Amino acid sequence: MESKNLDNLRHSCAHLLAHAVKQLYPGALNAIGPAIENGFYQDFDMGRWNISEVDLPKIEAKMREILPTWQKFSFNEVTLPEAKKLFKDNKYKIEMATEFAKQGKKLQTNDPGGFLDLCKMGHVENPSKELRQFKLLSIAGAYWHGNEKNKMLTRIYGTVFPTKEELDAHLKMLEEAKKRDHRKIGETLELFTISTLIGSGLPIFLPKGETIRSTILKYLTDIKKSNGYQFVWSPHIARSETYHISQHWGKYDAMFAPMKLDKEEYVLKPMNCPHHFQVYLNRPRSYKELPFRIAENGTVYRNEKSGEVSGLVRVKALTIDDTHTFIRYSQTMEEVDKVLKMIIKILKTFGFDNYVARISVGDKNHPEKYLGSPQEWERAENALKRGADNLKIKYEVGEGEAAFYGPKIDIMVNDSLGRSWQLSTVQLDYNQPRNFEMKYVDEGGKEAYPAILHIAMIGSIERFMGILIEHYAGAFPLWLSPVQVAILPISEKFLESAQKVKEELQKSNIRVELNTDNKSLGGKIRQSTLQKIPFMIIIGEKEVASYKVHQVYQGTVRTREGKDLGMMEVNKFINQLKSQIENFS
Amino acid sequence: MESKNLDNLRHSCAHLLAHAVKQLYPGALNAIGPAIENGFYQDFDMGRWNISEVDLPKIEAKMREILPTWQKFSFNEVTLPEAKKLFKDNKYKIEMATEFAKQGKKLQTNDPGGFLDLCKMGHVENPSKELRQFKLLSIAGAYWHGNEKNKMLTRIYGTVFPTKEELDAHLKMLEEAKKRDHRKIGETLELFTISTLIGSGLPIFLPKGETIRSTILKYLTDIKKSNGYQFVWSPHIARSETYHISQHWGKYDAMFAPMKLDKEEYVLKPMNCPHHFQVYLNRPRSYKELPFRIAENGTVYRNEKSGEVSGLVRVKALTIDDTHTFIRYSQTMEEVDKVLKMIIKILKTFGFDNYVARISVGDKNHPEKYLGSPQEWERAENALKRGADNLKIKYEVGEGEAAFYGPKIDIMVNDSLGRSWQLSTVQLDYNQPRNFEMKYVDEGGKEAYPAILHIAMIGSIERFMGILIEHYAGAFPLWLSPVQVAILPISEKFLESAQKVKEELQKSNIRVELNTDNKSLGGKIRQSTLQKIPFMIIIGEKEVASYKVHQVYQGTVRTREGKDLGMMEVNKFINQLKSQIENFS
């Protein structure tokens, strides 16, 4: 189904929900009820009622009861005074009607099943038939107009699909996603912690999480280095003046509050760009040095509201795998191609084989709105499109969506649950070289401005890890697993041999844990499985006896999926592990 | 010479300097003139005179002219009214006299060579003989009382030694240190930059500097990991409340200004401790888990005054190789021993073979001033002393110097110029576990507080790199060199072969640069030598001809010291390099 029709379906269902709630809870007032990604919500001022998720089945039943009476949405245009009269008991509707009228919008009512509501257009033709496959999902609080000074309303979330199959698939996905919630897995596997003392949105990576984090960053760093990227390090603050020059000051909402010190004003960096520009500006540059590629896994600070941060996916401290590449305009095509190839290679390493792109381009009818000549823009946009074509990446073009300073391409991946995440961005920029007077001397000895590619291949490592935890359901592939092998001695008697085997693995830089708990083998296997450790080596009578005969350490290998790989020579197994790790699998 | 006598010598010479300046520049007023490390200074209000370093020889000549008349320092005790009368023309002396009197100190004057001055005790017996080996060094501005609201005075620095040999050795060291100034070398070798836009005291590491930085940090990380340290990652800010609990708030001067956001107050972390405590607090801990070693190369922010920051050695953004080890009290001895061994191993890797320690212990007569029992303190202090003894580290004991929360040991190294730097610290802490309610369950099932070892093995990586640059005079050993090998084709004709040789080296992860500049071989060698690249491989007619015969790449190898190692097979040379790098040399 096309997304517009799906939106109509969802929005219609929000009306139905409002109808049911108002019948069940006299005096409850419905506020807004829009379609959102994967469903809809409807806000209510519940008056004297208090509801929770246990009430959802009752509300659903009422919706099903009403539904057959919902034959169609018929529209009446009304004047503001009429609207005020019709909705005199609902201050939210009156406020919305007044606002619409002020904006010169038409006021329309509809009354399917006799339920009068004020609404913008966009509904299904035949609600009684089309709205059957719905499900209410959750309840949350939400301020009216999203402003914490206003009243807290009750928001009910739901979803609806054209067919039962689609609804079931979606609900199953939600259920699976719930099980994979990275906040829950992050706690169970001790990957990260968020301390209320330190602050919300400021995750601390625990040893196991930091192992994954640094393994990913090392992988990215190695790939970038071998592609000619040079790493730098920059501090996390800058004088406020920096962001006046970059023109972010006052325009960029997420900036942290400035700090006054010693007559100077500093601010946490919300982006790494100006710091990297100082590297470029360190000395005069020649055309021979371009492309000049500067990279840093730099932590930036963005003031997400404390109520809006969540786990690793939305945080205040973001470590971006940031790259700024300075190019001559004529190098755009070649460099974009190279960058997109790297990005796809990286995404595939993490099992993201499905991806699409969105290319944001300028508005052809208004070239005056953009910095740089139409020819330059055409060349840059073509570079992005051809880059995507070369790699057979499907893309949509967002006409007029580009920022005034350059077009960009975003890469969206589907995770193992089919959910879409935007990960990579390549943004062309003709603007900042002018703001910061970054130039180079061209072949003819004249000064010229480079273009800049702002590149984030995985975005922020925090968000990427949040996504990966859910993508893998915590069962990270061997190369990323914080503990790669658990050694399980069947009893204390085999501890010494187990220790020797552990040392053998450590010598090969395998991350290994020796389970010395006073538990049965079954208990130890269960522990390792819950900790999603890819491999277990069991050491008992048989294994030690075999060592006595062959003078070669042996162990019985088992996977976290419960597969028994039988008794193996430890060194041969190490070689298998090493080759798997080298292949990032 | 003992340091007290040396101080007397230096302080006496400051008087002599004051005498000379007042004779040469009528109306100039002398303020304070103390002994400092390696010399002395004397502050002057120069009145209508302006002097600069070109005037120093003239002042020195005057000092030598006066010196024979300086037979001895004779002291007279005076009253405040007498002092005010004697020094009526010098408002600084009157202010000091008034201040001394207020503090109940004796007021004394002396007049060697007829030069009347107000002064505390501490001079040489026979100035005309003992003060001969002096030298004036530099001039700087300095606010009266170090307060920028006061007048800027003129400060003349000088030094004096008992013998000519000692003075000459010191002046030679200063000259060498000047050549090795890490700010100058850092610029020439493009290691770091400090941008006035981003802010003073906030160095940005350029690609070559970042290569050294990350190589050092990787080395430290690997050593720590193989010794059971677990790495974590924590954000650079925390809610201000954190430092109220840690009891730093209001007591710790170098804290950055707080930021108000979203009803919460945050501040840049001035230390990593409380963040690491959250890792410990993530779940209940058992005695079996101790020692629990948490490490992070964490960047902290300290508000050094902009006028006081300098290069890499004194900065506002410090990345500390921080470790917090939680131990049972009974584990102190063993853990301290282990830590000191690691520290010495690390220091030796960087060529710091001379080190001494200072152990700060509690005041035995006032056990009530300290947290923890006298027995615990004794055990801890003995652990530090025995740790030092075991490693044959000479140490001084600072009685009563310990903080109330635990004793500590600092390690000082001598660099290649013989200058002393404090690098490593191991601080015992009985206090923070109580502040943050960090406990463990002991063998008997009861709750107990651990002790914490706060450990920095190299201190901050910024300061350490500043020291290393001067220690090595920029000629980093092979394993640390940003570029390890330069390939120098004799002419364009050999570019293709040079490229092949470069690729061979890159395959072995050797950091290599191909010099394609349009320069003579001599010019290229000069370039590489100035860049302190350890090895150069020259590719010309002879080398290519040999390849044609043997099908093995050959190159003529030269060192940055100018030694010709002759023609070698590239692969054999690579093996030599690899083994040298693996041995951190």
Side-chain angles (χ1 to χ4, degrees):
Chain A
M1 189 178 249
E2 277 196 21
S3 72
K4 191 163 175 262
N5 294 342
L6 209 47
D7 276 356
N8 288 345
L9 187 74
R10 289 163 176 168
H11 176 56
S12 301
C13 203
H15 279 284
L16 180 64
L17 168 59
H19 192 178
V21 167
K22 292 195 70 160
Q23 282 209 358
L24 281 173
Y25 305 98
L29 304 176
N30 56 320
I32 58 165
I36 55 173
E37 202 191 345
N38 295 322
F40 61 88
Y41 68 77
Q42 174 72 54
D43 284 351
F44 297 98
D45 179 342
M46 291 303 295
R48 63 193 168 93
W49 304 95
N50 252 322
I51 59 167
S52 72
E53 288 181 9
V54 299
D55 301 304
L56 294 181
K58 190 168 77 178
I59 302 171
E60 277 186 3
K62 178 56 82 179
M63 288 166 74
R64 292 196 204 289
E65 183 192 318
I66 295 169
L67 188 58
T69 70
W70 277 45
Q71 292 306 317
K72 69 177 178 116
F73 286 87
S74 49
F75 290 90
N76 281 313
E77 197 172 329
V78 295
T79 64
L80 181 58
E82 283 167 344
K84 282 185 173 172
K85 206 169 148 195
L86 286 170
F87 297 97
K88 66 177 187 299
D89 296 331
N90 189 330
K91 59 185 175 187
Y92 303 99
K93 294 285 164 185
I94 292 177
E95 193 184 319
M96 283 189 276
T98 310
E99 187 57 32
F100 289 168
K102 211 197 278 175
Q103 293 169 9
K105 287 182 189 159
K106 274 197 246 178
L107 297 179
Q108 292 188 317
T109 62
N110 58 60
D111 58 353
F115 176 64
L116 184 76
D117 208 349
L118 177 81
C119 183
K120 288 185 279 189
M121 296 291 288
H123 301 94
V124 291
E125 289 290 315
N126 190 340
S128 65
K129 279 198 182 143
E130 295 177 58
L131 292 185
R132 278 179 197 162
Q133 302 305 330
F134 70 83
K135 176 84 186 161
L136 298 185
L137 298 170
S138 61
I139 294 190
Y143 294 107
W144 173 235
H145 287 319
N147 184 332
E148 47 196 275
K149 284 177 192 148
N150 291 335
K151 188 168 184 184
M152 170 81 87
L153 304 178
T154 302
R155 177 169 292 176
I156 302 180
Y157 286 96
T159 193
V160 58
F161 279 87
T163 65
K164 185 170 187 319
E165 289 67 34
E166 284 165 280
L167 176 65
D168 287 349
H170 184 69
L171 294 179
K172 204 175 148 192
M173 187 279 284
L174 286 184
E175 203 180 321
E176 183 59 29
K178 217 173 192 170
K179 275 191 258 169
R180 292 175 176 229
D181 188 327
H182 76 277
R183 291 165 300 187
K184 224 167 63 187
I185 294 179
E187 200 184 317
T188 314
L189 299 187
E190 294 189 81
L191 302 180
F192 65 95
T193 181
I194 295 172
S195 142
T196 49
L197 179 64
I198 301 297
S200 65
L202 296 171
I204 294 171
F205 286 89
L206 299 170
K208 287 181 180 166
E210 171 56 13
T211 300
I212 300 173
R213 189 182 192 276
S214 59
T215 306
I216 295 172
L217 290 179
K218 182 178 184 308
Y219 164 74
L220 291 174
T221 302
D222 287 349
I223 283 203
K224 288 183 185 179
K225 278 189 182 168
S226 67
N227 279 276
Y229 290 66
Q230 303 190 74
F231 278 73
V232 300
W233 185 91
S234 65
H236 306 90
I237 59 174
R239 283 176 55 231
S240 299
E241 172 70 7
T242 308
Y243 305 101
H244 288 284
I245 295 180
S246 73
Q247 300 183 325
H248 286 99
W249 200 267
K251 288 180 200 157
Y252 192 77
D253 285 344
M255 200 96 91
F256 264 68
M259 301 162 265
K260 280 245 183 230
L261 279 175
D262 221 14
K263 291 181 199 155
E264 296 282 2
E265 195 186 273
Y266 296 87
V267 67
L268 278 162
K269 63 178 176 184
M271 61 209 42
N272 296 302
C273 327
H275 285 77
H276 290 184
F277 299 165
Q278 306 311 309
V279 175
Y280 185 88
L281 288 166
N282 184 49
R283 59 171 171 76
R285 302 289 171 185
S286 142
Y287 70 97
K288 287 184 197 163
E289 291 178 76
L290 308 187
F292 183 63
R293 306 177 186 95
I294 301 171
E296 180 178 18
N297 300 312
T299 306
V300 302
Y301 286 82
R302 294 181 186 168
N303 181 23
E304 301 281 346
K305 285 196 178 155
S306 288
E308 286 168 11
V309 294
S310 168
L312 293 178
V313 171
R314 203 146 170 201
V315 292
K316 291 177 186 166
L318 301 82
T319 306
I320 298 179
D321 80 303
D322 226 338
T323 302
H324 292 94
T325 299
F326 297 81
I327 52 171
R328 292 181 256 170
Y329 291 177
S330 61
Q331 293 171 322
T332 310
M333 191 86 82
E334 200 182 333
E335 191 64 18
V336 164
D337 216 50
K338 190 174 160 142
V339 170
L340 288 177
K341 267 192 198 115
M342 282 174 68
I343 288 176
I344 296 306
K345 184 178 171 183
I346 290 167
L347 296 179
K348 286 192 171 177
T349 299
F350 295 96
F352 295 121
D353 296 315
N354 290 311
Y355 35 82
V356 292
R358 183 162 190 91
I359 298 176
S360 302
V361 302
D363 179 349
K364 300 278 174 298
N365 300 320
H366 293 283
E368 76 286 357
K369 282 166 49 181
Y370 302 93
L371 203 77
S373 72
Q375 293 74 29
E376 280 155 26
W377 273 73
E378 207 186 322
R379 177 156 54 188
E381 290 169 5
N382 283 341
L384 296 178
K385 290 175 188 168
R386 216 171 88 181
D389 282 337
N390 281 347
L391 287 159
K392 300 194 174 57
I393 307 170
K394 278 194 198 147
Y395 61 86
E396 287 181 4
V397 174
E399 295 283 346
E401 273 183 7
F404 75 94
Y405 53 85
K408 69 165 176 168
I409 182 167
D410 293 321
I411 311 279
M412 273 79 65
V413 302
N414 282 338
D415 70 9
S416 58
L417 294 185
R419 294 174 302 177
S420 172
W421 301 96
Q422 191 218 303
L423 286 183
S424 324
T425 300
V426 181
Q427 163 89 57
L428 263 150
D429 176 4
Y430 301 116
N431 192 34
Q432 295 294 6
R434 287 170 171 84
N435 286 339
F436 284 87
E437 279 295 310
M438 294 182 279
K439 296 180 178 172
Y440 66 92
V441 176
D442 70 12
E443 293 92 324
K446 273 189 277 181
E447 285 197 328
Y449 287 112
I452 298 175
L453 292 177
H454 301 253
I455 306 158
M457 304 209 177
I458 59 156
S460 94
I461 184 73
E462 289 77 17
R463 184 165 166 275
F464 188 65
M465 275 184 66
I467 293 168
L468 280 189
I469 293 171
E470 302 196 359
H471 177 58
Y472 291 128
F476 282 89
L478 181 69
W479 74 286
L480 285 177
S481 287
V483 179
Q484 295 170 317
V485 176
I487 315 272
L488 313 182
I490 290 180
S491 79
E492 255 186 32
K493 241 170 60 188
F494 310 107
L495 214 54
E496 204 189 311
S497 301
Q499 183 62 37
K500 294 274 182 220
V501 171
K502 182 187 170 188
E503 283 162 19
E504 285 300 306
L505 286 150
Q506 276 177 326
K507 269 187 229 158
S508 296
N509 292 317
I510 310 279
R511 295 185 290 267
V512 58
E513 211 170 72
L514 173 58
N515 189 328
T516 56
D517 281 6
N518 192 12
K519 279 207 165 94
S520 70
L521 179 62
K524 286 178 182 175
I525 291 175
R526 215 159 21 250
Q527 268 185 327
S528 302
T529 307
L530 284 173
Q531 284 293 310
K532 317 254 184 188
I533 300 172
F535 294 102
M536 300 157 221
I537 301 182
I538 297 159
I539 310 283
E541 201 73 66
K542 195 174 60 169
E543 290 78 7
V544 171
S546 164
Y547 173 73
K548 283 182 184 149
V549 177
H550 304 288
Q551 296 294 307
V552 174
Y553 287 108
Q554 307 243 359
T556 297
V557 180
R558 201 185 150 92
T559 72
R560 66 185 157 200
E561 292 80 17
K563 208 166 145 190
D564 185 346
L565 303 182
M567 198 154 86
M568 293 173 77
E569 282 182 21
V570 170
N571 281 327
K572 281 189 186 157
F573 180 55
I574 287 175
N575 286 338
Q576 282 182 28
L577 293 173
K578 277 164 75 173
S579 106
Q580 201 174 327
I581 291 166
E582 273 163 25
N583 290 311
F584 308 107
S585 62
Chain B
M1 191 178 247
E2 276 196 22
S3 72
K4 190 162 177 264
N5 294 342
L6 210 46
D7 276 356
N8 288 346
L9 188 73
R10 288 163 179 167
H11 175 57
S12 301
C13 204
H15 279 285
L16 180 66
L17 168 59
H19 192 178
V21 167
K22 293 196 69 159
Q23 283 209 358
L24 281 171
Y25 305 98
L29 304 176
N30 54 320
I32 59 165
I36 54 173
E37 202 190 344
N38 295 322
F40 61 87
Y41 68 76
Q42 173 72 53
D43 284 350
F44 297 96
D45 179 343
M46 291 301 296
R48 65 195 167 91
W49 303 94
N50 251 321
I51 58 167
S52 72
E53 288 179 10
V54 299
D55 299 306
L56 294 182
K58 192 168 76 180
I59 300 171
E60 278 184 3
K62 178 57 82 179
M63 288 164 75
R64 291 193 205 290
E65 184 192 318
I66 295 169
L67 187 58
T69 70
W70 276 45
Q71 292 306 320
K72 67 177 180 118
F73 284 88
S74 48
F75 290 91
N76 282 313
E77 197 172 330
V78 294
T79 63
L80 180 58
E82 283 167 342
K84 282 186 175 171
K85 205 170 147 195
L86 287 169
F87 297 99
K88 64 177 190 299
D89 296 332
N90 188 329
K91 57 185 176 187
Y92 302 100
K93 294 285 165 185
I94 292 178
E95 194 185 319
M96 283 189 278
T98 310
E99 187 55 32
F100 289 167
K102 211 197 279 173
Q103 294 168 11
K105 288 182 189 160
K106 275 197 246 177
L107 297 180
Q108 293 186 314
T109 61
N110 59 59
D111 58 352
F115 175 63
L116 184 75
D117 208 347
L118 177 80
C119 184
K120 288 185 279 190
M121 295 291 285
H123 300 94
V124 291
E125 290 291 315
N126 190 340
S128 65
K129 278 196 182 148
E130 294 178 56
L131 291 185
R132 280 178 195 162
Q133 301 306 330
F134 70 84
K135 174 85 186 161
L136 299 184
L137 297 169
S138 60
I139 294 189
Y143 294 107
W144 173 235
H145 287 319
N147 185 333
E148 46 196 277
K149 284 176 192 148
N150 291 337
K151 188 167 183 184
M152 169 82 87
L153 303 178
T154 302
R155 175 169 295 177
I156 301 180
Y157 287 95
T159 193
V160 58
F161 280 87
T163 65
K164 185 170 188 318
E165 289 66 34
E166 285 165 280
L167 175 66
D168 285 350
H170 183 70
L171 294 179
K172 204 177 150 192
M173 188 278 285
L174 287 183
E175 202 181 321
E176 184 57 31
K178 214 172 193 171
K179 273 191 257 166
R180 292 174 175 228
D181 187 328
H182 75 278
R183 292 165 300 187
K184 223 167 66 187
I185 294 179
E187 199 184 318
T188 314
L189 300 187
E190 293 190 79
L191 302 181
F192 66 95
T193 181
I194 295 171
S195 141
T196 51
L197 180 64
I198 301 298
S200 65
L202 296 170
I204 295 171
F205 286 89
L206 299 170
K208 287 180 182 168
E210 171 55 14
T211 300
I212 300 173
R213 190 182 191 278
S214 58
T215 304
I216 295 172
L217 290 179
K218 183 179 183 309
Y219 164 73
L220 292 174
T221 302
D222 288 348
I223 283 205
K224 288 184 185 179
K225 278 188 182 167
S226 67
N227 279 277
Y229 290 66
Q230 304 190 75
F231 277 73
V232 300
W233 185 91
S234 65
H236 306 89
I237 58 174
R239 283 176 55 231
S240 298
E241 173 69 6
T242 309
Y243 304 101
H244 288 286
I245 294 181
S246 73
Q247 303 183 323
H248 286 99
W249 199 269
K251 288 181 204 157
Y252 192 76
D253 285 344
M255 200 96 92
F256 264 69
M259 303 162 264
K260 279 245 182 232
L261 278 176
D262 222 14
K263 293 182 199 153
E264 296 282 4
E265 194 186 273
Y266 297 88
V267 67
L268 279 161
K269 63 177 174 185
M271 61 211 40
N272 296 301
C273 328
H275 285 78
H276 290 184
F277 299 165
Q278 306 310 309
V279 175
Y280 185 88
L281 289 166
N282 183 50
R283 60 170 170 75
R285 301 289 170 186
S286 142
Y287 71 95
K288 288 185 198 162
E289 291 178 77
L290 308 187
F292 183 63
R293 307 176 185 94
I294 301 171
E296 179 178 19
N297 301 312
T299 306
V300 302
Y301 286 82
R302 295 182 184 168
N303 182 23
E304 302 280 348
K305 287 199 176 152
S306 288
E308 286 169 9
V309 295
S310 167
L312 294 177
V313 170
R314 201 142 173 205
V315 294
K316 293 176 187 167
L318 299 83
T319 306
I320 298 179
D321 80 305
D322 226 339
T323 301
H324 292 95
T325 299
F326 297 80
I327 51 171
R328 292 182 255 167
Y329 291 177
S330 61
Q331 294 171 322
T332 310
M333 190 88 79
E334 200 181 335
E335 191 65 18
V336 164
D337 215 51
K338 192 172 157 141
V339 170
L340 288 178
K341 269 195 196 109
M342 282 175 69
I343 288 176
I344 297 305
K345 184 177 171 184
I346 289 166
L347 296 179
K348 286 193 171 176
T349 299
F350 295 96
F352 295 121
D353 296 315
N354 290 312
Y355 34 82
V356 291
R358 183 162 190 90
I359 299 175
S360 303
V361 302
D363 179 347
K364 300 275 173 299
N365 301 319
H366 294 284
E368 77 286 355
K369 281 166 53 182
Y370 301 94
L371 205 76
S373 71
Q375 292 74 29
E376 278 155 28
W377 274 74
E378 206 188 323
R379 178 155 54 190
E381 291 169 4
N382 283 340
L384 296 178
K385 290 175 188 170
R386 214 170 90 180
D389 282 336
N390 281 347
L391 287 158
K392 300 195 173 58
I393 306 170
K394 278 193 198 147
Y395 61 86
E396 287 180 4
V397 174
E399 295 285 346
E401 271 182 9
F404 74 94
Y405 52 87
K408 70 166 177 167
I409 182 168
D410 294 321
I411 312 278
M412 271 79 66
V413 302
N414 282 338
D415 71 8
S416 59
L417 294 186
R419 293 175 301 178
S420 172
W421 302 95
Q422 192 218 303
L423 286 182
S424 324
T425 299
V426 180
Q427 163 89 57
L428 262 151
D429 176 4
Y430 301 114
N431 191 35
Q432 296 294 6
R434 287 169 171 83
N435 286 339
F436 285 87
E437 279 297 307
M438 295 182 280
K439 296 181 179 173
Y440 68 92
V441 176
D442 69 13
E443 292 93 325
K446 274 190 274 180
E447 285 196 330
Y449 288 111
I452 299 174
L453 292 177
H454 301 254
I455 306 158
M457 305 211 178
I458 59 156
S460 94
I461 183 72
E462 289 76 17
R463 183 163 166 277
F464 189 64
M465 275 183 66
I467 293 169
L468 280 189
I469 292 170
E470 302 195 358
H471 178 58
Y472 292 127
F476 282 90
L478 181 69
W479 74 285
L480 286 176
S481 286
V483 179
Q484 296 170 316
V485 177
I487 316 273
L488 313 182
I490 291 180
S491 79
E492 255 186 32
K493 241 170 61 188
F494 311 107
L495 214 52
E496 206 188 309
S497 301
Q499 183 62 38
K500 295 274 182 220
V501 171
K502 181 187 171 188
E503 284 161 19
E504 285 300 306
L505 286 151
Q506 277 177 325
K507 270 188 229 158
S508 295
N509 292 318
I510 311 278
R511 295 186 291 267
V512 57
E513 211 170 72
L514 173 56
N515 189 328
T516 58
D517 282 6
N518 191 13
K519 281 207 164 96
S520 70
L521 178 62
K524 287 178 183 175
I525 290 175
R526 211 156 27 247
Q527 268 185 327
S528 303
T529 306
L530 284 174
Q531 285 293 308
K532 317 255 182 186
I533 300 173
F535 294 102
M536 303 158 218
I537 301 182
I538 298 159
I539 309 282
E541 201 74 65
K542 195 175 59 168
E543 290 78 7
V544 171
S546 163
Y547 174 73
K548 281 182 184 147
V549 178
H550 306 288
Q551 296 296 304
V552 173
Y553 287 108
Q554 308 243 359
T556 296
V557 179
R558 202 186 149 92
T559 72
R560 64 184 158 198
E561 292 81 17
K563 206 166 147 189
D564 185 345
L565 304 182
M567 198 153 87
M568 293 173 77
E569 282 182 22
V570 170
N571 281 326
K572 284 189 185 157
F573 181 53
I574 288 176
N575 286 338
Q576 283 183 25
L577 292 174
K578 277 164 73 172
S579 106
Q580 201 175 328
I581 291 167
E582 275 163 25
N583 290 311
F584 307 109
S585 60

